[in-house]
Amino acid sequence: MAADLSPIDKAKFVAAKRAVEFVEDGMKLGLGTGSTAAWMVRCLAERMREEGIRVTGVPTSSRTAELARQLGIPITTLDEAKWLDLTIDGADEFDGQLALIKGGGGALLQEKIVATASDQMIVITDPAKEVVQLGTFPLPIEVIPFGWQTTKALVEETLVSMDVLGRTATLRMNGDRAFITDEGNYIVDLHLQRIGNPRQLSLVINQIPGVVENGLFIDICDIVVIGHGNGRVEVRDINKGTSEEETIEFADTDNIFADLGD
Ligand code: 5RP
């Protein structure tokens, strides 16, 4: 079954499989959102089945909550868990300092709250998401529906004085309607092409009334696990300044593939 996976899915799978090796018995875990994070949830469920480890998950979206429930991973709320040992999540872009753009799946708000409430955040990714400078992937911002057009106009005006290349802002759609986040908000995607100063941009955008949060994750991610289609995995730890590599074999007996179908 593993042989049938596309190279990109193999890359996501091996990154996820390596990342869940960081999980220890009894941990409280933030469960990220997206296709790579879904592999992580499956790999986690497999470790729980095979090794009998027990964890409690705090999902970062209704989608992840549903997947965790299907796979028998106990979940709770952040308010109940209060503080987490580890969050494992995907990203849309990451740079050499492990600054991230997230929110491609529209879950950036819960993802940022959960990752910030964790001792450690691990990002799982494929190599295509590594960039020298953030900004090719549109930066999502979550905005309150009330007065969203005014908020969007204020954001565009603010961008004029920011170190960015593009300044177009678009409302994210779901068919012919606005995309609605789990918190009932809208997403406005900023097509910036290049973000010269992510830290400054993040602070300034969050000052605009109507903006709830932006998809820049700065000084939040500790480790990035980069999977490759041939099974090679790189683990870069920004705090230790280390980079290690190994190869993960695709075992056709992996029960995880029986869970596919979503
Ligand atoms: C969701 C996210 C995801 O982590 C990000 O979009 C990456 O998704 P994928 O693993 O499907 O490429 O931030 O809000």
Side-chain angles (χ1 to χ4, degrees):
M1 182 75 188
D4 300 339
L5 295 179
S6 67
I8 189 77
D9 274 328
K10 282 183 178 170
K12 291 176 182 185
F13 166 62
V14 292
K17 189 156 172 115
R18 177 64 186 87
V20 299
E21 288 175 17
F22 286 88
V23 175
E24 293 170 18
D25 189 38
M27 274 188 167
K28 291 189 276 186
L29 295 175
L31 306 176
T33 295
S35 56
T36 321
W39 281 112
M40 177 274 298
V41 175
R42 294 185 192 109
C43 289
L44 179 63
E46 191 192 35
R47 267 204 74 192
M48 293 173 74
R49 271 196 309 265
E50 309 252 305
E51 299 173 36
I53 62 165
R54 293 154 302 127
V55 300
T56 307
V58 173
T60 53
S61 64
S62 47
R63 273 168 287 159
T64 298
E66 178 57 28
L67 181 61
R69 267 191 223 102
Q70 281 172 15
L71 296 175
I73 300 174
I75 56 172
T76 187
T77 61
L78 185 59
D79 284 332
E80 196 65 41
K82 295 195 172 56
W83 195 261
L84 308 176
D85 298 290
L86 172 65
T87 285
I88 307 177
D89 201 348
D92 299 300
E93 276 187 359
F94 68 98
D95 70 11
Q97 282 70 49
L98 305 195
L100 317 171
I101 288 183
K102 283 187 54 56
L108 68 100
L109 180 56
Q110 290 189 17
E111 289 173 335
K112 205 168 192 173
I113 294 170
V114 167
T116 304
S118 305
D119 284 340
Q120 206 173 35
M121 181 196 196
I122 298 178
V123 159
I124 46 179
T125 177
D126 58 80
K129 292 170 174 176
E130 180 166 16
V131 295
V132 173
Q133 197 160 37
L134 298 175
T136 303
F137 192 92
L139 174 66
I141 58 174
E142 181 150 347
V143 302
I144 288 175
F146 177 85
W148 72 269
Q149 297 192 47
T150 306
T151 305
K152 175 172 167 287
L154 278 172
V155 169
E156 285 170 325
E157 200 178 304
T158 303
L159 289 175
V160 173
S161 59
M162 293 285 109
D163 183 7
V164 294
L165 206 56
R167 295 189 170 83
T168 314
T170 52
L171 180 69
R172 190 177 298 182
M173 304 297 288
N174 182 11
D176 56 1
R177 288 167 188 242
F179 174 92
I180 309 280
T181 71
D182 275 353
E183 299 302 318
N185 296 317
Y186 291 168
I187 297 278
V188 172
D189 289 302
L190 307 183
H191 303 264
L192 308 174
Q193 296 167 47
R194 182 177 63 77
I195 303 174
N197 189 337
R199 193 178 301 273
Q200 181 193 41
L201 183 67
S202 177
L203 289 172
V204 170
I205 284 181
N206 280 13
Q207 292 301 314
I208 298 169
V211 172
V212 184
E213 192 47 87
N214 71 80
L216 285 165
F217 284 47
I218 298 164
D219 296 337
I220 296 177
C221 175
D222 301 283
I223 293 174
V224 64
V225 180
I226 307 162
H228 297 257
N230 62 0
R232 191 163 66 84
V233 182
E234 299 169 59
V235 179
R236 293 188 205 155
D237 186 319
I238 193 80
N239 303 314
K240 292 186 186 158
T242 54
S243 176
E244 290 164 11
E245 278 194 28
E246 64 186 88
T247 297
I248 291 185
E249 301 299 330
F250 298 103
D252 274 346
T253 51
D254 263 331
N255 291 334
I256 195 172
F257 298 109
D259 295 325
L260 282 175
D262 63 331

